[in-house]
Amino acid sequence: MTVVKSTIPEPARQVTGDALQSTLVDLLGLSLIGKQAHWNVVGPRFRSIHFQLDEVVTAAREFADTVAERSSALGLPPDGRPETIASAFTLPAPKDGWVRDSDVVEVMVEALEAAIGRLRERIEATEKADPVTQDLLITVTAELEKQRWMFDAENWPKDG
């Protein structure tokens, strides 16, 4: 049942819907791992990383809402249920318990890199299917790349 009629043809709607749903899962997952790390980070850079994690969480949550609303606008019900996120989320996450500040930085860089890589694939997939969604995904990618850079700069110079 489609409650909202889409403004794009069905094949393009399917490609777009898949891209939006996968992005929603990644963004909600990023917000959860960001909060998990936020609550458990320890070390000499605790305060700066603690606040930086809040920036990622805020961005991920705001973009998740925008992505979900884009999906709804196209007649595709977004699925942000906990069981959906838990079963589909595959980005790196922090270990259980207290996590050293340098380890938090590493896992956030890895998680953001993975999310960015997948977003770039979705940007390509939506180029012809729906340029409006593609534009949204480009905007999300730009913010996640900025956050990745900021975390990556925290562990410079690299050991070894």
Side-chain angles (χ1 to χ4, degrees):
M1 172 176 94
T2 300
V3 175
V4 177
K5 183 166 172 32
S6 179
T7 57
I8 61 176
E10 186 55 35
R13 187 174 94 105
Q14 187 61 48
V15 168
T16 302
D18 291 346
L20 289 167
Q21 181 60 38
S22 298
T23 300
L24 180 62
V25 167
D26 282 352
L27 290 169
L28 291 174
L30 275 173
S31 75
L32 292 172
I33 66 169
K35 269 304 181 190
Q36 179 67 22
H38 172 89
W39 297 321
N40 290 289
V41 64
V42 294
R45 294 177 296 157
F46 162 82
R47 188 168 175 78
S48 65
I49 292 171
H50 184 80
F51 286 129
Q52 191 172 347
L53 287 161
D54 272 340
E55 288 180 28
V56 171
V57 169
T58 298
R61 287 179 177 169
E62 288 174 358
F63 279 126
D65 189 53
T66 303
V67 164
E69 288 176 353
R70 176 71 186 150
S71 185
S72 292
L74 296 175
L76 301 159
D79 189 353
R81 296 172 300 155
E83 59 270 24
T84 300
I85 305 309
S87 69
F89 186 73
T90 60
L91 296 176
K95 65 180 179 73
D96 188 22
W98 305 117
V99 185
R100 181 109 181 122
D101 52 6
S102 57
D103 294 336
V104 167
V105 168
E106 284 182 31
V107 77
M108 290 308 296
V109 168
E110 290 171 10
L112 288 162
E113 276 182 12
I116 291 162
R118 295 197 313 222
L119 273 162
R120 289 190 171 278
E121 291 171 5
R122 295 175 200 137
I123 287 167
E124 188 175 321
T126 56
E127 179 180 15
K128 287 188 172 45
D130 183 25
V132 175
T133 295
Q134 182 193 42
D135 185 57
L136 171 58
L137 299 178
I138 289 168
T139 301
V140 173
T141 303
E143 177 61 28
L144 295 187
E145 285 178 334
K146 181 182 95 174
Q147 294 296 333
R148 187 216 158 274
W149 155 62
M150 293 176 134
F151 274 106
D152 200 33
E154 285 281 348
N155 276 353
W156 191 89
K158 304 276 190 225
D159 294 334

